[in-house]
Amino acid sequence: MKFQFNFKIRTRQALKKAKQIFVISNEDLIKISKVNANVISLLDSATTIESASIVRNLKEGEKLKIIWAGHLAARKSLDILIKALANIENVNNKVAVIVLGDGELMEFYSNLVKTLSLDCFSFIGRVQHSEVKSYLLKSHVLVHTSYR
């Protein structure tokens, strides 16, 4: 669903009065900032771009910490990450993958990592948006496999 930028009068009034507006896309940022300067751009993981740009160095012998967050549904394509990591030799000694979220494919993905002997995956389940940032700050990489 595309956000309609030909604002109706009541929508424009609400945007003008808002103390803070959060947007996902750069297009939204540009359009809405014409109505209200109190706009903050977010990544779809609901964290600010500033906090997402923190560089985390991998220490000698440390596993690469990967975060995947989302609804466990076919269109989110977690299987792409699972199958990609299954092709890496000794992957269980090299990476640790934290999966945040739940959905109809939770059991399928859990069984897939067991079948592929990927002990490096931890399925945390659903977490509150306020908790996602703490997981991101402890990781090296956020992997986004969604095709929609």
Side-chain angles (χ1 to χ4, degrees), residues 52-147:
S53 63
I54 297 169
V55 175
R56 293 158 198 88
N57 294 317
L58 189 62
K59 296 177 180 79
E60 182 77 29
E62 182 182 14
K63 290 183 179 184
L64 179 69
K65 296 179 196 104
I66 299 172
I67 293 288
W68 186 97
H71 183 69
L72 297 174
R75 67 183 179 86
K76 295 298 185 175
S77 305
L78 176 58
D79 57 313
I80 292 172
L81 176 61
I82 294 170
K83 292 172 184 175
L85 291 178
N87 288 309
I88 298 173
E89 189 176 329
N90 297 319
V91 69
N92 292 321
N93 296 324
K94 298 175 182 176
V95 301
V97 182
I98 302 289
V99 177
L100 304 176
D102 62 9
E104 60 270 14
L105 293 180
M106 172 70 97
E107 186 176 343
F108 171 79
Y109 289 136
S110 296
N111 289 334
L112 182 58
V113 298
K114 287 176 187 166
T115 300
L116 296 173
S117 300
L118 294 173
D119 299 329
C120 57
F121 275 81
S122 296
F123 289 87
I124 304 301
R126 183 184 166 116
V127 298
Q128 296 297 318
H129 262 294
S130 58
E131 294 178 61
V132 173
K133 186 174 180 179
S134 67
Y135 281 98
L136 290 172
L137 291 172
K138 294 174 189 170
S139 69
H140 297 105
V141 179
L142 168 65
V143 175
H144 184 73
T145 56
S146 181
Y147 62 85

Side-chain angles (χ1 to χ4, degrees), residues 21-26 28-29 40-54 56 69 76 129 132-133 136-137 139 141-144:
I21 300 171
F22 297 94
V23 297
I24 301 296
S25 73
N26 195 40
D28 292 349
L29 178 68
I40 294 178
S41 184
L42 299 175
L43 301 175
D44 64 353
S45 61
T47 185
T48 61
I49 292 171
E50 292 79 25
S51 66
S53 63
I54 297 169
R56 293 158 198 88
K76 295 298 185 175
H129 262 294
V132 173
K133 186 174 180 179
L136 290 172
L137 291 172
S139 69
V141 179
L142 168 65
V143 175
H144 184 73

